[in-house]
C-alpha cells in the first residue's frame, strides 16, 4: 500500500483521547501567551492549541523534516521548527511546554524533563503524555522490519536508544523524583485505552506518526511501499482480526503535568 499522510486526518479520531485527557488536566484559568509543542508530528495538537488560545505564540518543534512539511501544508498561525529534541530547549521563559507522544523516542529523560521545567516562566506548565514501553509491540515489529530487508543500512540508527527501547523505561516514581521538588504541583496518572479498528482501517495507518517518521525521511517511492507492506504483514500477524471483523488494540499512557 502507498503511504497516505492524508489518512492521518481521518484516523486521528482514534488517537485523540490521550490529547483530550492531557489538555483537560491544564489549569482551567490558564491562558498562556507562549506555547511550545515538542515532537509535534503533523501538527494536530499544535493547531488545536493555537485555536484554543488565539493570543498565544505557538511554536511546534520536531526532528522530522517530512512531518514538518506535512504540518506546514495546513494553514495556521503555528510556527514550525526543525530541531533535535535531545538537545534543543526553549531559550526564553515559556508558559506551556507540552508533548503528546512526541518524547518517547528521546533519550535521557532524567536530564530532559528537569531542563524543560527550568525553561518555564512563573506559573508555567509542563504537560507530557508518554506511551508506555511495555505495550510497544508495534515498535518492536518496526525495528525488526527495519533490520530485515534491503533498507537495513539506510535505517540503521534511525531510532536512537530511548526509554521506549531500553526495556524497563521510566516509571511514575522517576518523574516524580526529578520534577516534584521543583514544581509547585505535580500530577501523574496512567491510563489504558482500547482502540477498536474495523477491517477497513489498516493497522499501519493507525500508528502514531512519530514512529514512522524516520522511515519517511530515509526511504521513498517503491522501496518505501515495500517496507510498509512488510511491516504491515508483521502487524497483522501480531494483531489478528477478530471474527467480528474488528481488531482491538490496547495502549497504555503515562501523563505528567507540573506547574511551577
Amino acid at each position: 500500500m502507498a503511504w497516505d499522510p492524508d489518512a492521518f486526518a481521518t484516523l486521528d479520531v482514534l488517537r485523540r483521547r490521550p490529547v483530550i485527557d492531557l489538555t483537560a488536566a491544564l489549569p482551567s484559568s490558564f491562558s498562556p501567551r507562549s506555547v511550545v509543542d515538542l515532537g509535534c508530528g503533523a501538527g494536530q495538537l499544535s493547531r488545536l492549541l493555537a485555536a484554543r488560545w488565539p493570543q498565544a505564540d505557538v511554536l511546534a518543534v520536531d526532528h522530522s523534516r517530512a512531518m514538518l512539511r506535512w504540518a506546514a501544508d495546513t494553514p495556521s498561525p503555528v510556527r514550525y521548527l526543525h530541531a533535535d529534541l535531545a538537545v534543543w530547549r526553549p531559550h526564553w521563559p515559556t508558559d506551556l511546554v507540552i508533548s503528546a507522544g512526541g518524547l518517547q523516542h528521546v533519550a535521557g529523560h532524567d536530564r530532559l524533563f528537569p531542563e524543560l521545567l527550568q525553561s518555564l516562566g512563573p506559573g508555567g506548565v509542563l504537560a507530557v503524555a508518554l506511551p508506555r514501553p511495555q505495550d510497544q509491540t508495534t515498535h518492536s515489529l518496526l525495528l525488526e522490519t527495519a533490520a530485515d530487508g534491503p533498507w537495513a543500512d539506510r535505517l540503521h540508527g534511525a531510532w536512537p536508544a530511548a526509554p521506549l527501547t531500553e526495556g524497563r523505561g521510566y516509571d511514575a516514581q522517576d518523574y516524580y523524583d526529578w520534577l516534584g521538588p521543583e514544581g509547585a504541583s505535580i500530577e501523574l496518572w496512567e491510563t489504558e485505552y482500547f482502540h477498536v479498528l474495523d477491517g477497513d482501517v489498516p493497522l499501519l495507518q493507525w500508528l502514531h506518526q512519530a514512529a514512522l517518521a524516520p522511515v519517511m525521511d530515509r526511504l521513498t517511492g517503491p522501496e518505501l511501499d515495500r517496507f510498509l507492506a512488510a511491516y504491515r504483514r508483521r502487524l497483522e500477524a501480531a494483531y489478528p482480526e477478530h471474527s467480528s471483523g474488528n481488531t482491538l488494540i490496547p495502549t497504555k499512557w503515562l501523563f505528567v503535568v507540573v506547574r511551577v
Side-chain angles (χ1 to χ4, degrees), residues 29 55 59 86 152 154 166 174 176 182 189 204 221 241 245 255:
S29 60
Q55 81 287 355
L59 176 66
R154 264 160 296 166
E166 287 173 356
D174 292 319
Y176 182 82
E182 304 298 328
W189 72 97
L204 184 63
E241 186 176 291
F255 296 84

Side-chain angles (χ1 to χ4, degrees), residues 127-173:
V128 180
L130 295 161
R132 303 310 292 138
Q134 64 268 31
D135 293 301
Q136 295 300 324
T137 300
T138 56
H139 188 73
S140 298
L141 296 176
L142 180 62
L143 296 181
E144 290 176 13
T145 308
D148 183 22
W151 43 71
D153 288 344
R154 264 160 296 166
L155 293 179
H156 179 71
W159 296 272
L164 183 62
T165 56
E166 287 173 356
R168 182 187 71 86
Y170 303 127
D171 58 28
Q173 185 66 56

